[in-house]
Amino acid sequence: MANAISDEMIEYVGILAKLELSEEEKEAAKKDMGRMLDYIDKLNELDTSGVEPMSHIFPVNNVFREDVVTNGDDRENILGNAPRQKDGAFQVPKTVE
């Protein structure tokens, strides 16, 4: 599959990556990309028919608890902690003039 990598493709990838590559760097990138594609071809030869697709190598479970309201509408107790209140809300000093 290494033959599928052309000079135009290397140039295009360089433009996308906003890189200015010298001719030596382009040739090195071409060889590297060829080796990567050859490795992918080798991996594609493996029989993965019995392997379940996964996004992580370890099982990942949601570690967050369910969002359950426990104190609900307890406005009177909450406002009991306020130094000042007005119309059922906390009253704070004016910060913008």
Side-chain angles (χ1 to χ4, degrees):
M1 190 162 208
N3 295 335
I5 301 171
S6 64
D7 292 334
E8 292 81 21
M9 185 181 293
I10 296 294
E11 187 72 32
Y12 181 66
V13 170
I15 290 170
L16 290 177
K18 298 186 186 301
L19 296 174
E20 291 183 22
L21 301 173
S22 67
E23 289 304 316
E24 296 83 26
E25 291 171 325
K26 287 179 187 178
E27 284 302 314
K30 193 174 183 179
K31 288 178 187 174
D32 286 344
M33 290 178 95
R35 285 196 308 264
M36 285 185 248
L37 293 176
D38 289 341
Y39 184 70
I40 291 170
D41 280 345
K42 187 174 208 96
L43 289 175
N44 284 334
E45 294 173 5
L46 294 172
D47 178 25
T48 59
S49 57
V51 179
E52 183 179 330
M54 61 177 97
S55 60
H56 301 300
I57 59 171
F58 300 111
V60 177
N61 299 320
N62 187 357
V63 295
F64 298 111
R65 63 173 170 74
E66 288 295 318
D67 191 13
V68 178
V69 178
T70 57
N71 58 356
D73 189 25
D74 198 13
R75 182 184 300 245
E76 294 304 318
N77 268 344
I78 294 170
L79 287 175
N81 293 323
R84 293 188 313 219
Q85 51 180 299
K86 180 179 178 185
D87 299 327
F90 288 97
Q91 184 177 5
V92 296
K94 187 175 181 179
T95 56
V96 179
E97 305 229 10

